[in-house]
Amino acid sequence: MPEKGPESAMAPKKLLCLPSLLLPLLTLLLPQADTRSFVVDPDHDRFLLDGAPFRYVSGSLHYFRVPRVLWADRLFKMRMSGLNAVQFYVPWNYHEPEPGVYKFNGSRDLFAFLKEATLANLLVILRPGPYICAEWEMGGLPAWLLRKPKIHLRTSDPDFLAAVDSWFKVLLPKIHPWLYHNGGNIISIQVENEYGSYRACDMSYMRHLAGLFRALLGDKILLFTTDGPEGLKCGSLQGLYTTIDFGPADNMTKIFALLRKYEPRGPLVNSEYYTGWLDYWGQNHSTRSVPAVTKGLENMLKLGASVNMYMFHGGTNFGYWNGADEKGRFLPITTSYDYDAPISEAGDPTPKLFAIRNVISKFQEVPLGPLPPPSPKMTLGPLSLHLDGNLLAFLDFLCPQGPIHSILPMTFEAVNQDHGYMLYRTYLTHTVSEPTQFWVPNNGVHDRAYVMVDGVFQGVLERNMKRNLFLTGKKGAKLDVLLENMGRLSFGSNSSDFKGLLEPPVLGQTVLTQWLMFPLKVDNLVKWWFPNQLLKSSHPQTPSGPTFYSTTFPILGSGGDTFLFLPGWTKGQVWINGFNLGRYWTKRGPQQTLYVPRPLLFPRGALNKITLLELENVPLQPQIQFLDRPILNSTMHKTYIYSLSDESASEPMELSGH
């Protein structure tokens, strides 16, 4: 018999004193939590919800890519589109930033999001990982795992399992009350994520996870796996329900037939039906046509399949949270995660949404009533930015604890710097009068290096790119190399993605040693120091290399959502009112604007502050403007060739994995 809480354990004693007429009524009311169930009906190839046939039509939305104040709006629009469930990941690195330090507040309040889903009348399909891919930094795994450099991620390596176990022993008990049979809204939980695409194929690791989930969540919750067609062999596991993922262009009949070899009975499930696709810097913006998406959806629904659309609303990779892929070269994901999804990055219904809603209405009831109109949008500017100073001028504030000294350069992970930027400094031991090549062996720049001699910007070295950079300098000249972590690999790699200078740089024939490393806390500087105007020098230097710019501006009236456009700027990071909007890379594209949600801005005349860290070159007129629509598809250099690779950058990418 299911365990009862203290209230229900006492209930029978109370019943004895009540008139016998009320007994049948109370008997109906008491066991409600016990009768709630979500199970597979293998005899009829379907799910049963509370004993009745059920099929979910779900969409993916990631709470970590949407400001908390907008969760309710996005979930309501999903419900109004005809969905009856929402599917989402839990990124471990978002909730455990340091070992044993847990964050579930503010935008990390996963339980507030579950509550909003309940209010929107959506069931939940939860994907807690530990690995999630999702084009998210390191696929959701915390970078601090790499402080043990020999760790084997996503295997039964004891170091990895110990970290996973301690995380899930915190997370899963918090999830337990939210399971459907306990009165919550979570109908099923995915174990790992597309594990069959990972070459380790460590089945004892998968069995360990399945056992851990069962021990902490009980036997009643439906546990499942998700894989692409090629991943079923290593991704599926006896005792976990097998589901598959594929997009509109794939052969549904063939793929579902393959799925039946692993899961002969029960409902067919596509856990990731792709409504669009991700974008990489330097490649074209991805789209999926409305007819292709709706036709594939209708065909699956005709078969009685349950479907989750990935993504239904993509959102934004704010801050440093974007992931990266590796396909012969390093491919970082853009800040926008619009995904060409049915609900745009700014939360607006698109023609794709209305077409999908129309298809769903042929198979199940769609809520009555119109969808909310697009949110109000705002234009502003152009605004001129003023120079705050070169990054090097602020080193004392960026790294108040001072540098770390080492003969050879150390990685970000070795000095506990998870994200952002680190400055490496050394001094020339002899005069270099002729231009001499500066390079890092074995593709050792992870991911982008901005090189300065005595404060003067010399150029950039980049991962997987052959770039010639020649330096001169007197003996004792200061050589600064600012390293940017562009996001750790989230898919397509079997190796750990360490950041920083992985090898000592070489100048001509000389291996450079004796390094000072400054782990930079740029966000702290922007949030705490700049607002106090402590750093404004009366004679700012000439800008050279990584430089801070800022301005303040009022918004008259109530304002609206807007899109920050940075014409002529090269590459960098941008903050509004101390909030890290993410990376811009105007020069490479395709994304030209950054989404600025209205709640980030102060309305009605209050001053807003924008700060830019431009890493390379500033336009002659350092201006920005706010537009009322995004520009996501303008690749400035479509013929951009990655010279370490045979393939040109304009080749379309098909990397499964979310």
Side-chain angles (χ1 to χ4, degrees):
M1 190 167 162
E3 287 179 39
K4 294 201 183 315
E7 297 90 345
S8 51
M10 289 170 69
K13 294 175 189 165
K14 293 178 191 166
L15 288 180
L16 301 176
C17 340
L18 290 167
S20 56
L21 279 174
L22 283 177
L23 273 171
L25 179 63
L26 283 165
T27 319
L28 282 173
L29 292 174
L30 278 171
Q32 278 226 309
D34 298 350
T35 56
R36 289 169 66 91
S37 64
F38 179 77
V39 296
V40 169
D41 174 6
D43 298 333
H44 301 98
D45 295 336
R46 64 190 180 187
F47 290 121
L48 297 175
L49 185 74
D50 301 338
F54 178 79
R55 165 242 292 285
Y56 62 75
V57 182
S58 166
S60 288
L61 176 156
H62 298 151
Y63 63 93
F64 43 93
R65 285 189 159 115
V66 178
R68 178 174 173 159
V69 289
L70 300 173
W71 289 348
D73 171 77
R74 307 307 195 246
L75 289 163
F76 174 70
K77 285 167 182 162
M78 290 172 73
R79 180 69 192 109
M80 292 302 289
S81 305
L83 306 186
N84 54 14
V86 56
Q87 176 170 295
F88 62 91
Y89 288 120
V90 180
W92 178 8
N93 55 7
Y94 197 57
H95 294 284
E96 192 179 359
E98 289 287 326
V101 176
Y102 302 102
K103 288 189 175 179
F104 290 100
N105 60 334
S107 60
R108 290 170 169 80
D109 192 341
L110 158 65
F111 310 102
F113 186 74
L114 285 167
K115 193 173 178 183
E116 292 290 3
T118 305
L119 293 173
N121 200 17
L122 290 166
L123 296 166
V124 168
I125 299 150
L126 190 73
R127 314 216 279 174
Y131 164 84
I132 63 168
C133 182
E135 285 77 59
W136 188 252
E137 151 75 22
M138 203 162 143
L141 300 177
W144 50 256
L145 291 168
L146 302 181
R147 292 174 195 172
K148 294 186 171 170
K150 291 191 164 40
I151 197 166
H152 290 284
L153 304 172
R154 302 177 73 195
T155 68
S156 34
D157 176 336
D159 283 337
F160 184 64
L161 288 188
V164 168
D165 288 0
S166 72
W167 160 235
F168 278 141
K169 282 171 185 169
V170 170
L171 176 68
L172 296 184
K174 289 178 185 289
I175 295 295
H176 192 263
W178 289 90
L179 303 182
Y180 186 77
H181 57 269
N182 292 333
N185 54 359
I186 299 173
I187 53 172
S188 60
I189 294 185
Q190 181 180 295
V191 178
E192 240 278 350
N193 186 69
E194 295 183 331
Y195 190 64
S197 300
Y198 193 60
R199 293 190 297 273
C201 199
D202 180 343
M203 294 327 283
S204 62
Y205 162 64
M206 283 297 284
R207 280 191 291 273
H208 175 91
L209 284 183
L212 183 65
F213 279 48
R214 280 281 170 240
L216 294 170
L217 296 172
D219 294 333
K220 286 190 172 183
I221 185 71
L222 177 70
L223 299 180
F224 71 99
T225 59
T226 299
D227 282 282
E230 71 298 328
L232 288 168
K233 182 170 178 288
C234 287
S236 58
L237 187 71
Q238 195 71 38
L240 305 179
Y241 195 73
T242 307
T243 75
I244 202 156
D245 52 36
F246 60 87
D250 297 308
N251 184 329
M252 177 191 77
T253 312
K254 196 171 154 189
I255 290 173
F256 275 149
L258 179 65
L259 176 61
R260 279 291 179 226
K261 291 182 179 170
Y262 291 86
E263 200 61 74
R265 302 311 308 258
L268 294 166
V269 180
N270 184 346
S271 289
E272 291 187 5
Y273 176 64
Y274 303 114
T275 60
W277 202 247
L278 53 130
D279 285 348
Y280 302 112
W281 291 114
Q283 300 197 358
N284 293 333
H285 174 56
S286 301
T287 57
R288 290 281 185 277
S289 79
V290 172
V293 171
T294 51
K295 185 183 169 203
L297 177 64
E298 186 157 358
N299 288 340
M300 285 186 289
L301 296 181
K302 276 180 184 164
L303 281 181
S306 282
V307 180
N308 172 72
M309 284 169 268
Y310 190 104
M311 297 291 297
F312 208 82
H313 170 52
T316 310
N317 294 315
F318 294 116
Y320 309 111
W321 286 113
N322 67 280
D325 282 337
E326 190 170 53
K327 191 185 180 227
R329 59 183 180 267
F330 179 69
L331 297 166
I333 313 285
T334 55
T335 303
S336 170
Y337 200 64
D338 177 85
Y339 215 83
D340 196 32
I343 298 174
S344 75
E345 183 178 10
D348 296 330
T350 66
K352 192 175 279 182
L353 181 147
F354 292 104
I356 285 171
R357 187 189 197 201
N358 188 39
V359 169
I360 296 170
S361 71
K362 298 177 187 177
F363 298 90
Q364 56 196 42
E365 229 172 287
V366 167
L368 292 170
L371 267 113
S375 63
K377 304 294 187 294
M378 177 186 85
T379 59
L380 190 69
L383 304 172
S384 292
L385 269 59
H386 61 253
L387 173 67
D388 289 322
N390 294 338
L391 175 135
L392 297 179
F394 300 129
L395 263 190
D396 291 346
F397 300 100
L398 287 163
C399 185
Q401 75 279 18
I404 297 151
H405 180 264
S406 170
I407 294 169
L408 299 178
M410 295 163 74
T411 63
F412 277 49
E413 295 76 16
V415 301
N416 297 358
Q417 175 85 346
D418 289 340
H419 308 293
Y421 305 88
M422 183 149 78
L423 185 78
Y424 293 78
R425 172 173 286 176
T426 191
Y427 296 88
L428 298 189
T429 52
H430 58 277
T431 297
V432 180
S433 46
E434 292 296 313
T436 302
Q437 187 165 12
F438 176 77
W439 59 292
V440 182
N442 299 325
N443 198 21
V445 172
H446 279 208
D447 301 304
R448 227 172 131 77
Y450 306 90
V451 182
M452 291 150 278
V453 174
D454 284 334
V456 179
F457 184 53
Q458 306 293 316
V460 178
L461 295 176
E462 188 173 348
R463 180 170 175 169
N464 291 123
M465 302 271 288
K466 280 186 177 152
R467 289 214 175 179
N468 290 328
L469 185 56
F470 293 87
L471 306 181
T472 58
K474 292 194 164 63
K475 181 180 177 178
K478 184 171 63 184
L479 173 63
D480 284 313
V481 186
L482 179 71
L483 258 289
E484 179 185 9
N485 166 0
M486 286 284 297
R488 286 183 186 79
L489 292 170
S490 47
F491 185 80
S493 168
N494 226 43
S495 56
S496 300
D497 190 14
F498 297 96
K499 297 301 186 186
L501 288 175
L502 273 51
E503 300 268 344
V506 178
L507 185 59
Q509 302 297 311
T510 310
V511 176
L512 301 176
T513 57
Q514 302 299 342
W515 289 91
L516 296 172
M517 281 147 305
F518 299 80
L520 304 183
K521 300 281 179 268
V522 185
D523 295 76
N524 289 358
L525 178 83
V526 171
K527 210 177 280 185
W528 307 116
W529 291 102
F530 277 170
N532 297 329
Q533 308 290 309
L534 292 178
L535 307 167
K536 296 292 183 300
S537 59
S538 48
H539 305 288
Q541 326 85 310
T542 321
S544 185
T547 313
F548 288 103
Y549 279 78
S550 67
T551 194
T552 56
F553 59 94
I555 291 167
L556 306 173
S558 57
D561 282 354
T562 187
F563 302 91
L564 173 64
F565 182 41
L566 302 140
W569 297 79
T570 308
K571 181 184 195 311
Q573 202 88 24
V574 58
W575 293 260
I576 288 194
N577 295 326
F579 179 86
N580 191 332
L581 265 193
R583 307 174 207 269
Y584 66 87
W585 201 346
T586 312
K587 190 166 181 185
R588 191 165 290 185
Q591 180 179 357
Q592 299 292 304
T593 57
L594 294 180
Y595 170 53
V596 183
R598 177 179 175 176
L600 288 182
L601 298 166
F602 303 130
R604 298 191 175 82
L607 280 184
N608 292 275
K609 171 125 195 196
I610 181 166
T611 305
L612 258 66
L613 170 58
E614 168 58 60
L615 295 163
E616 296 182 44
N617 298 306
V618 177
L620 286 172
Q621 289 187 304
Q623 293 185 329
I624 52 125
Q625 59 191 104
F626 293 95
L627 309 180
D628 58 4
R629 65 198 58 188
I631 307 170
L632 297 177
N633 59 353
S634 168
T635 308
M636 298 301 202
H637 302 277
K638 288 210 172 109
T639 53
Y640 206 83
I641 304 297
Y642 288 73
S643 46
L644 286 189
S645 158
D646 301 331
E647 305 155 60
S648 79
S650 57
E651 178 215 4
M653 284 289 152
E654 288 299 334
L655 288 176
S656 176
H658 296 281

